[in-house]
Amino acid sequence: MSHQSGIRSSTELVQFFTSCKEGNVRLAKIKIQDEKLILACQFAVRSTWDKDYESYIEECLADEHACYILARLDTQPTSGFDWLFLSYISENAPVKEKMLYASTKATLKGEFGSGSVKYDFQVTQREEMDLHSLQRLINQKDAGGGPLTELEEQMKSTHVNQHCVNSFPGYETAVVRGVRFPVDQDALQNLCRLRDGEINYVQLSIDTLNEVIKLVTADNIPSNRISKWIPTKSPRYHFYAPKLTKAANVIIFIYSIPPNGCTVKERMLYSSCKGPFLDTVQQVVGLKVDRKIEIDSSEDVNDEFLIGEDISVKQHQKFSRPKGPKKQRGDPRIHKTPS
């Protein structure tokens, strides 16, 4: 499933996409700025696509942590040219920037025209953006050999889902799609502290105006006081690590949604952001959630409800072979003596 940031192309960029169909543009760099996709620079066709690419790409990547590259190929199968789409997100880029570019890629590709994109690659190393590395990726793609990468699996899944949408009217509106909002640095840092055992409680909220997940509070609290920290009029995400008696801590995720006091928009956002947010927490922070709880009132939360059975002991129990039936001695066998 594709989770999108909501960032769209600027008016100038949309107009540029139209001019690209004329075939005079060879390469373009697109960036995210002020919550919009903008055209950073463009280069005209001078020679073959590979020679032009080699001439332009270094200038495009100067001092960049993340950007998108569109390169026009020389093949023209039907009414327009084929294009190469590169999503460059450096491993050294800030976490928020990584998430923003990753969750905006599908929007950019759709607004440009996904039908014109013949090759779509995601690159994290600047060295992989040179012509030699790019041609190797293209050759591998054309050969069709080897297992699909995670990105290619997602692209294949997206293509299948889009086919379903086109085949069944109303399907798109019937499917609940997840929304991946960026998580601010304070929230990520305190989730790391929770992971490392420095604190045992983190509460987060969704800033619906700026569409970002923010930290509300982080502290060490006993389980019998957690109810006092849960708002009764606003939804929240909570991470809690109770100290179990027989083993190490486990991580409990609590999604609190009060029955009254919150808007319909808040309910929808918290519900649709929950899955992608937990996925981000596991992948970016490395925090594995052992138990997920959804409540509609802080009165439901107490020691017995939170801790219950010792999860970690249950997870690490060894399998014991079931005992067979007890041996029962029957009547002694009678042996006849031959006459």
Side-chain angles (χ1 to χ4, degrees):
M1 181 177 290
S2 177
H3 310 295
Q4 300 182 21
S5 65
I7 293 176
R8 307 299 295 269
S9 299
S10 65
T11 304
E12 293 77 11
L13 183 59
V14 173
Q15 293 173 351
F16 170 74
F17 288 159
T18 303
S19 66
C20 285
K21 309 304 179 183
E22 299 173 2
N24 298 321
V25 176
R26 173 63 77 190
L27 189 142
K29 179 173 77 171
I30 298 164
K31 296 178 59 177
I32 297 175
Q33 182 175 305
D34 298 329
E35 298 186 353
K36 286 184 179 181
L37 287 161
I38 65 163
L39 177 65
C41 60
Q42 60 172 304
F43 301 90
V45 174
R46 291 183 178 177
S47 182
T48 59
W49 85 265
D50 50 347
K51 291 181 179 179
D52 283 346
Y53 180 88
E54 195 169 24
S55 300
Y56 299 145
I57 193 61
E58 283 299 322
E59 184 176 346
C60 283
L61 297 180
D63 301 323
E64 289 294 346
H65 281 132
C67 65
Y68 305 109
I69 300 293
L70 282 166
R72 202 214 79 184
L73 304 176
D74 295 326
T75 53
Q76 192 174 5
T78 53
S79 59
F81 287 95
D82 287 327
W83 285 78
L84 169 72
F85 181 44
L86 296 173
S87 175
Y88 172 61
I89 307 174
S90 170
E91 293 180 345
N92 298 323
V95 172
K96 182 177 180 179
E97 192 172 6
K98 288 181 181 179
M99 294 173 58
L100 203 58
Y101 273 83
S103 58
T104 308
K105 175 186 172 183
T107 299
L108 171 59
K109 186 177 176 182
E111 291 181 340
F112 174 74
S114 57
S116 300
V117 177
K118 184 176 182 180
Y119 300 108
D120 179 352
F121 301 114
Q122 182 165 320
V123 182
T124 58
Q125 299 288 340
R126 186 166 176 173
E127 295 77 15
E128 295 176 352
M129 294 287 285
D130 62 25
L131 179 62
H132 176 74
S133 300
L134 185 58
Q135 286 178 326
R136 177 173 50 82
L137 290 173
I138 291 175
N139 292 337
Q140 290 176 352
K141 186 74 174 180
D142 288 340
L148 296 177
T149 64
E150 182 180 355
L151 176 64
E152 290 170 334
E153 288 283 5
Q154 293 175 358
M155 291 169 59
K156 181 179 178 182
S157 175
T158 301
H159 175 75
V160 172
N161 290 338
Q162 186 63 41
H163 174 72
C164 292
V165 170
N166 294 334
S167 301
F168 300 96
Y171 176 83
E172 186 172 14
T173 56
V175 176
V176 179
R177 298 182 181 275
V179 179
R180 189 184 297 271
F181 282 169
V183 185
D184 72 7
Q185 291 295 322
D186 288 340
L188 291 172
Q189 289 172 2
N190 280 280
L191 286 171
C192 289
R193 293 179 63 203
L194 178 74
R195 176 200 63 196
D196 297 337
E198 298 178 16
I199 54 176
N200 72 347
Y201 177 73
V202 175
Q203 182 182 135
L204 306 108
S205 66
I206 295 179
D207 183 340
T208 56
L209 180 62
N210 298 307
E211 297 185 343
V212 64
I213 297 176
K214 292 186 174 182
L215 176 72
V216 176
T217 186
D219 207 338
N220 278 297
I221 60 173
S223 59
N224 60 359
R225 293 187 59 83
I226 192 171
S227 294
K228 300 183 182 299
W229 293 70
I230 299 178
T232 58
K233 299 295 183 181
S234 303
R236 288 289 189 270
Y237 295 143
H238 315 259
F239 290 86
Y240 186 62
K243 181 64 179 178
L244 301 179
T245 55
K246 298 181 181 179
N249 288 1
V250 297
I251 304 297
I252 299 175
F253 172 76
I254 305 170
Y255 166 39
S256 62
I257 180 78
N260 302 306
C262 55
T263 64
V264 174
K265 180 180 179 180
E266 284 180 316
R267 289 176 174 273
M268 293 177 62
L269 281 178
Y270 274 84
S271 177
S272 58
C273 284
K274 181 178 63 173
F277 169 59
L278 288 174
D279 181 61
T280 297
V281 169
Q282 181 169 350
Q283 292 185 11
V284 177
V285 180
L287 186 65
K288 181 182 178 182
V289 174
D290 298 286
R291 177 185 290 176
K292 300 173 186 176
I293 301 172
E294 182 173 335
I295 61 172
D296 61 8
S297 171
S298 61
E299 296 176 359
D300 296 331
V301 182
N302 52 44
D303 287 351
E304 183 179 358
F305 180 76
L306 273 178
I307 300 176
E309 186 178 358
D310 192 328
I311 302 174
S312 57
V313 172
K314 183 178 179 180
Q315 289 176 340
H316 293 89
Q317 277 183 338
K318 293 184 178 180
F319 173 77
S320 56
R321 179 178 296 177
K323 296 180 180 180
K326 294 181 179 180
K327 292 184 178 180
Q328 296 181 354
R329 296 183 63 87
D331 296 332
R333 180 176 294 180
I334 300 175
H335 298 278
K336 292 184 178 181
T337 304
S339 55

